Amino acid sequence: MPTFAYKAKNGPEKTVDGRIAAESQSAAVSRLESMGYIPVWIEEVTAGQPSEGHAIVGRARIASREVTVFTRQLAGLLRAGVPILRALTTIQQQNDNPVFRSVLMAMVGAVRDGETLSETMHHYPRLFPDLYINMVRSGESAGMLEEVLLRLAEARESDDELRSRVVTALAYPALVLTIGLMSIFVILTFFLPRIVHLFEGMAGALPWPTRVVLAASDVFAGYWGWIVAALVAGVLVARQGLATEGGRMALDRAVLRLPLVGRFARDTDIVRFARTLSLLIRAGIPVERALDLGGRTLTNRQLRAAVLSAVDETVRQGATVAAGFKRQPVIPAFVTSMVAVGEESGRLDEVLTEVAVFYQRELDRDLRLVTTLLEPALILVVGIVVGFIIFAMLLPIFQIGQAVR
């Protein structure tokens, strides 16, 4: 049976550590809870390996959706007048994930010891990013924690829905393209070489489509191992390049220049950024800090660099947000104009919400375009290629039949 090293809290001040045998990490957490301990970290120890402390969430066993549900539950309990310590305890007792339950137990202990909720969340950066913690801190300072948590939950649900819709729109076209390429590869590499003997002695009389297909089949059949190795090597080199900041920046810059995909990626990021920035400003976070936090939610590095450059070059020097955005050509002019209107009217948070709604509509239109046109277009392209191969192989047979007549 595996052995796990652990560190846990036993009461407000006492901390214990040791080792415990259990069938799995989840079982070890459950055993510690039954002993009245609040796990801080736990890790399986192999023979001869010294134990080292790691955050219990370090193994990424808590889904983002669970954090969103926790946020909404906590907001609902606080709005109902339940004290925060009792609210956390209630959520912890109802949680089904043993790892998340242990995290909530530790948070309950920390809040009982006098820490604020935002200070407690600092111990779990993978679950609660800086944006989340700053929002909670601002809610605590303004006495409107339940309202801030509700907005956070809604924002996270909107992001999850947007991400799900994008993945759903791209999943089927990607599947069609993958299956089509694999089918063409199998036909050229393994199927055609078995029937090529039918055309022996007809090399000079073969029509050009047949000669093209047979030449391609010869290449694939003779060098398919090298082709696969080259593809694998290309993928590995690409992954290594994308692991660097320069490689990711180059890819993101290239993505934005693509006709439909670039607008698709840009609109997705702008929706998330505008919604997040509006939420932060409405929570009372200073514009400079809100821009910095909101900019880091952008997945496209060129857009992120543009927003952060606008913060460094203009906003921190006393200029307006619109002036900073205007100096960044990658930021759409519509966003810059709307931000300028919001700053002049003192309704920047509302204007940013309108920007998010506008680009959400644009994104919905693009998604409909993708699902309506891209899927049949890919099927048509794959069908044309496979049909050309079949036509090229049957064409000599038709010619022979006509010559016999």
Side-chain angles (χ1 to χ4, degrees):
M1 184 176 294
T3 301
F4 296 87
Y6 69 87
K7 183 176 182 180
K9 296 193 67 176
N10 183 14
E13 299 179 357
K14 187 177 179 181
T15 301
V16 297
D17 54 25
R19 300 192 179 194
I20 188 172
E23 296 179 354
S24 64
Q25 188 182 45
S26 299
V29 171
S30 299
R31 288 193 60 184
L32 290 174
E33 291 174 356
S34 65
M35 296 165 61
Y37 294 157
I38 301 175
V40 177
W41 59 260
I42 185 169
E43 182 186 48
E44 183 177 355
V45 179
T46 58
Q49 175 188 356
S51 62
E52 296 182 0
H54 292 281
I56 200 166
V57 297
R59 298 186 184 274
R61 296 195 178 186
I62 302 175
S64 174
R65 175 63 183 167
E66 294 182 82
V67 179
T68 302
V69 173
F70 159 76
T71 306
R72 181 167 287 280
Q73 289 176 336
L74 184 58
L77 290 172
L78 293 178
R79 293 187 74 179
V82 180
I84 186 169
L85 188 59
R86 183 179 174 185
L88 288 172
T89 303
T90 301
I91 297 173
Q92 178 267 326
Q93 292 172 348
Q94 298 176 351
N95 198 282
D96 296 328
N97 188 331
V99 180
F100 199 9
R101 188 166 63 244
S102 66
V103 170
L104 294 175
M105 287 182 66
M107 292 176 63
V108 169
V111 171
R112 186 184 293 117
D113 292 346
E115 286 189 9
T116 64
L117 182 62
S118 57
E119 291 172 343
T120 303
M121 290 176 172
H122 262 299
H123 303 309
Y124 308 98
R126 290 192 178 184
L127 294 182
F128 309 107
D130 287 343
L131 185 148
Y132 192 110
I133 295 173
N134 277 273
M135 288 286 297
V136 171
R137 185 183 295 114
S138 67
E140 291 172 333
S141 302
M144 47 184 293
L145 180 58
E146 63 277 6
E147 184 67 24
V148 168
L149 286 171
L150 184 60
R151 293 175 184 172
L152 267 174
E154 292 174 349
R156 290 177 66 94
E157 287 169 352
S158 298
D159 282 346
D160 289 342
E161 181 183 359
L162 178 62
R163 189 179 303 109
S164 175
R165 294 176 63 189
V166 171
V167 171
T168 302
L170 297 179
Y172 185 70
L175 179 63
V176 170
L177 183 61
T178 301
I179 294 178
L181 292 177
M182 291 179 61
S183 301
I184 294 171
F185 178 80
V186 170
I187 291 173
L188 292 176
T189 306
F190 303 105
F191 177 69
L192 289 186
R194 295 180 178 273
I195 63 173
V196 71
H197 65 276
L198 298 175
F199 306 107
E200 291 179 358
M202 300 175 56
L206 289 175
W208 70 266
T210 308
R211 294 198 301 270
V212 170
V213 171
L214 291 179
S217 178
D218 289 341
V219 173
F220 277 83
Y223 303 99
W224 69 269
W226 289 101
I227 294 174
V228 172
L231 289 175
V232 172
V235 170
L236 294 177
V237 170
R239 287 186 60 182
Q240 187 173 4
L242 294 178
T244 64
E245 189 66 23
R248 289 297 301 272
M249 177 66 78
L251 176 63
D252 290 343
R253 188 181 295 113
V255 166
L256 288 180
R257 293 175 180 174
L258 296 176
L260 178 62
V261 177
R263 187 176 63 188
F264 193 81
R266 185 201 64 184
D267 291 353
T268 303
D269 257 0
I270 289 179
V271 169
R272 182 184 299 110
F273 170 70
R275 187 184 293 139
T276 301
L277 189 57
S278 173
L279 188 65
L280 292 170
I281 294 174
R282 193 173 303 168
I285 295 177
V287 174
E288 177 186 332
R289 179 62 176 162
L291 280 170
D292 185 72
L293 291 171
R296 298 185 189 280
T297 65
L298 294 166
T299 56
N300 188 284
R301 278 166 168 72
Q302 189 175 15
L303 285 172
R304 185 193 307 172
V307 172
L308 297 181
S309 296
V311 177
D312 293 333
E313 296 175 4
T314 54
V315 178
R316 288 178 180 169
Q317 299 176 7
T320 63
V321 178
F325 284 179
K326 192 174 183 179
R327 299 176 59 176
Q328 305 297 329
V330 70
I331 298 178
F334 175 78
V335 176
T336 303
S337 300
M338 291 293 289
V339 168
V341 172
E343 289 181 307
E344 292 173 2
S345 62
R347 298 169 48 249
L348 182 57
D349 57 332
E350 298 178 17
V351 169
L352 286 169
T353 301
E354 294 175 7
V355 170
V357 170
F358 172 80
Y359 278 99
Q360 180 70 63
R361 292 172 181 166
E362 293 291 307
L363 187 60
D364 290 342
R365 187 185 65 182
D366 290 342
L367 286 172
R368 286 194 298 269
L369 183 64
V370 167
T371 54
T372 304
L373 298 180
L374 185 58
E375 294 174 9
L378 286 176
I379 294 175
L380 180 62
V381 170
V382 173
I384 289 175
V385 174
V386 175
F388 177 79
I389 294 175
I390 296 174
F391 170 75
M393 302 311 295
L394 293 178
L395 188 58
I397 299 178
F398 294 152
Q399 290 182 345
I400 294 173
Q402 291 178 352
V404 169
R405 291 181 185 178

